[in-house]
Amino acid sequence: MTIEKRLREVGQGHLADHLARLDNEERHRLVSQLERIDLESVERRVAMHLDSGVTAEELRFEPVDAIEVPREMQEQQRAEISREIGLEAIASGRLGLLMVAGGQATRLGISGPKGLVPIGPISGKNLFQWHAEKILALGKRVGRSLPWMVMTGPANDEETRQSFEAQGYFGMPKEDIFFFCQGTVPAVDLKGRMFLSSRDAVFENPDGHGGVLEALKCSGGFSWLEDRGVDQLFYFQVDNPLIRVGDPVFLGHHLQARAEMSSKVVEKFDSDEKVGVVGKLNGQTAVVEYSDLPEKFCRQTDDEGRLRFRHGNMAVHLFSCPFLVERGARVEESLPFHVAWKTIPHLDASGKMVQPEAPNGLKFERFVFDLLPHASSSVTMTVERNLEFSPVKNREGNDSQESARRDLVELFARWLESAGLDVPRNDQGAVRAPIEIAAGWGQDEQEVRARLVGDDEARERIRGLLEEGKPIFLE
Ligand code: UTP
């Protein structure tokens, strides 16, 4: 069947008409792209979207039973046991790290990889290096190099790989880093027709962080993990510099529960915070996006006056690899597409570029958290937001590069305070001079405290600098 005929059969006749206007080379490029796209699934997706919609009545949503931040002695002991179990598993090579970095950073307004954003409060190290140093430090603690998977997107794949190479893979063995690129999906207008982004290309966007499943399968990622004996995968996103990469406590809890997929959560600031909530949806652990959570659930409080649905998803997960492989064989049923109304610049029928002022099309994306209801067992662990979560999303204000750096300085200040040092603060309580502690110097509060308690000279030197209001950079 000719491509023109196929296009007409699946409701893309406008593209068949367009092909007639192209020269040979242009035609060749566009046809190659169209042959890669599963045209029937575009049609299916549009049909599904047009008659979907969960109503509040259908939603049976209960709070999830989460592990809380340890306060009592017993909870702390439980965390310590989990830490030991987690560390042992990491030391025996069972854990791989998976970082997703394929997004377009639209809100940040940059065109290259988000991982190149400078984040070190003093050093200006970029996010890639920031994460790499944590992985190296964890590897050093357990005495082995840890496998690191990096998901890129078509728009930043090359630059990401080049930047790792240019930085000497941060001193890691190159063979322990696995790059793979996620897929794309075409956007459509309200009639289900694909857009042209230029004369010889259809507009496609990355298929969301949920694209990781398909991309792992297609890139050979599962075999790469299996060859290394990895059976647990720690998932994180490139834009959160506070992340505790490979957190052994989280891993220990996950392993003890024999969980297939686990999640870290932070307590929501307030009922209006725009974050997905982990709860029990019709009996299954699931994330419900803030836009899908009916108002009546958002504002409910429990006996202690806390929000009932307070468990905000911070996009940190653990997966058992057999679970991912099994789900990878059934991507379509595991990860539905979500749809968003977006403004999509495109060529109109006369070949003129149009920059719409209002949303004009539907973009489709998969979300990784949709795997949660498929897990037979799952752990939800609450952590303190200011210790672990400060993503870089926006150019300024909340969740920006500036707020993330500020939160890092606060975190490092807290570590120094835990070692008995006084950190000078201004009237608003903010730390006066920047502090940066490289992961190689100390990975967490315990390590930093242990180092400073055992080293009077270093402690006195830091105390002096703090008193003089000078920056502290420990590397
Ligand atoms: P976001 O949804 O915040 O996307 O992704 P983003 O690209 O960082 O920023 P916006 O929304 O365009 O402004 C959260 C994480 O998931 C990754 C991102 O790279 C980021 O680490 N992600 C997102 C992907 O890997 N692929 C995608 O298709 C979308």
Side-chain angles (χ1 to χ4, degrees):
M1 191 193 309
T2 64
I3 182 83
E4 279 84 354
K5 184 144 189 281
R6 256 187 84 204
L7 285 167
R8 291 193 200 288
E9 280 187 2
V10 292
Q12 307 291 341
H14 66 301
L15 294 180
D17 297 340
H18 179 73
L19 280 172
R21 297 182 209 120
L22 301 184
D23 65 30
N24 274 348
E25 273 184 26
E26 289 170 328
R27 180 187 164 87
H28 178 71
R29 282 195 291 270
L30 183 54
V31 171
S32 317
Q33 183 188 12
L34 291 170
E35 280 172 351
R36 266 196 304 103
I37 295 173
D38 179 355
L39 296 173
E40 285 71 25
S41 76
V42 177
E43 202 183 17
R44 260 198 323 273
R45 259 197 306 277
V46 175
M48 251 164 63
H49 163 68
L50 294 179
D51 40 74
S52 74
V54 184
T55 63
E57 292 72 53
E58 289 171 60
L59 202 72
R60 188 159 61 76
F61 200 45
E62 295 290 326
V64 71
D65 191 12
I67 297 174
E68 298 297 335
V69 176
R71 309 229 184 257
E72 311 284 323
M73 176 80 108
Q74 219 176 0
E75 292 165 339
Q76 282 165 0
Q77 282 168 349
R78 191 175 163 209
E80 275 319 303
I81 294 171
S82 293
R83 185 194 311 278
E84 289 308 313
I85 293 173
L87 279 173
E88 201 178 300
I90 302 171
S92 60
R94 292 180 60 192
L95 186 71
L97 307 158
L98 165 60
M99 178 177 81
V100 293
Q104 293 174 302
T106 330
R107 283 167 284 173
L108 206 54
I110 55 167
S111 59
K114 223 187 215 183
L116 295 182
V117 168
I119 204 69
I122 295 173
S123 65
K125 287 172 189 167
N126 65 36
L127 279 161
F128 286 146
Q129 182 170 1
W130 199 254
H131 296 309
E133 290 189 5
K134 291 188 192 202
I135 296 172
L136 279 165
L138 181 59
K140 201 164 151 212
R141 184 190 277 190
V142 299
R144 67 184 306 141
S145 163
L146 303 175
W148 185 13
M149 309 186 99
V150 179
M151 183 170 90
T152 64
N156 63 28
D157 181 73
E158 212 179 310
E159 220 181 317
T160 301
R161 291 174 198 246
Q162 280 170 358
S163 79
F164 271 63
E165 190 182 356
Q167 295 184 82
Y169 300 96
F170 312 101
M172 293 184 183
K174 189 177 162 195
E175 61 279 10
D176 285 347
I177 306 180
F178 183 89
F179 295 97
F180 64 111
C181 185
Q182 71 178 103
T184 51
V185 267
V188 295
D189 67 12
L190 264 188
K191 292 187 177 147
R193 294 175 306 193
M194 292 188 271
F195 293 101
L196 284 163
S197 57
S198 64
R199 276 176 66 81
D200 56 2
V202 158
F203 177 91
E204 293 186 84
N205 56 276
D207 55 359
H209 38 66
V212 71
L213 188 62
E214 179 89 19
L216 271 175
K217 183 173 76 170
C218 298
S219 62
F222 288 141
S223 332
W224 189 81
L225 289 170
E226 204 183 333
D227 290 348
R228 283 172 164 67
V230 169
D231 70 350
Q232 307 296 328
L233 207 51
F234 180 93
Y235 166 101
F236 67 105
Q237 304 190 330
V238 69
D239 54 11
N240 177 21
L242 258 64
I243 182 85
R244 282 198 186 162
V245 180
D247 181 4
V249 178
F250 183 38
L251 178 60
H253 286 309
H254 168 84
L255 288 173
Q256 287 170 94
R258 295 180 190 282
E260 290 188 316
M261 175 174 176
S262 296
S263 316
K264 278 196 177 185
V265 292
V266 288
E267 190 157 335
K268 277 177 69 169
F269 274 135
D270 55 32
S271 56
D272 295 332
E273 189 184 355
K274 291 188 161 96
V275 63
V277 168
V278 180
K280 289 270 185 193
L281 182 62
N282 300 327
Q284 300 290 333
T285 307
V287 172
V288 172
E289 273 289 71
Y290 63 88
S291 46
D292 294 337
L293 190 64
E295 186 102 357
K296 63 170 188 180
F297 290 122
C298 280
R299 304 199 184 286
Q300 276 175 12
T301 50
D302 63 16
D303 297 344
E304 295 164 47
R306 296 192 298 179
L307 289 175
R308 272 187 89 213
F309 297 99
R310 60 180 172 278
H311 300 109
N313 175 31
M314 59 177 271
V316 176
H317 302 287
L318 273 163
F319 293 101
S320 92
C321 294
F323 169 70
L324 278 182
V325 171
E326 182 221 318
R327 283 293 126 195
R330 290 183 275 169
V331 179
E332 291 292 326
E333 76 178 76
S334 306
L335 291 170
F337 275 100
H338 293 247
V339 70
W341 253 120
K342 294 280 173 173
T343 308
I344 301 168
H346 60 277
L347 291 192
D348 68 9
S350 68
K352 201 170 88 227
M353 195 69 192
V354 184
Q355 283 285 353
E357 285 183 358
N360 61 323
L362 305 172
K363 272 190 182 177
F364 297 92
E365 280 192 333
R366 289 186 155 125
F367 297 156
V368 75
F369 55 70
D370 280 331
L371 286 170
L372 210 41
H374 298 285
S376 61
S377 165
S378 170
V379 167
T380 310
M381 175 175 154
T382 312
V383 300
E384 282 184 64
R385 180 191 294 256
N386 52 2
L387 301 187
E388 300 199 30
F389 187 53
S390 185
V392 179
K393 301 282 185 198
N394 306 315
R395 238 188 247 259
E396 52 195 28
N398 284 342
D399 294 345
S400 63
Q401 191 180 351
E402 193 194 332
S403 64
R405 282 180 155 182
R406 203 172 48 230
D407 290 343
L408 280 169
V409 171
E410 276 297 332
L411 178 74
F412 297 139
R414 195 162 149 161
W415 292 0
L416 295 183
E417 284 165 347
S418 85
L421 290 159
D422 273 336
V423 177
R425 292 169 182 274
N426 63 20
D427 295 345
Q428 285 78 45
V431 177
R432 281 237 172 90
I435 305 174
E436 180 172 336
I437 303 180
W441 197 92
Q443 284 178 79
D444 52 28
E445 185 175 314
Q446 288 85 350
E447 267 196 20
V448 168
R449 200 173 42 226
R451 242 187 119 148
L452 289 176
V453 168
D455 186 345
D456 289 345
E457 198 191 316
R459 216 177 50 250
E460 285 319 306
R461 188 169 44 83
I462 295 168
R463 194 193 304 282
L465 289 170
L466 286 168
E467 278 169 11
E468 288 168 39
K470 297 218 169 109
I472 311 277
F473 182 32
L474 303 175
E475 190 172 40

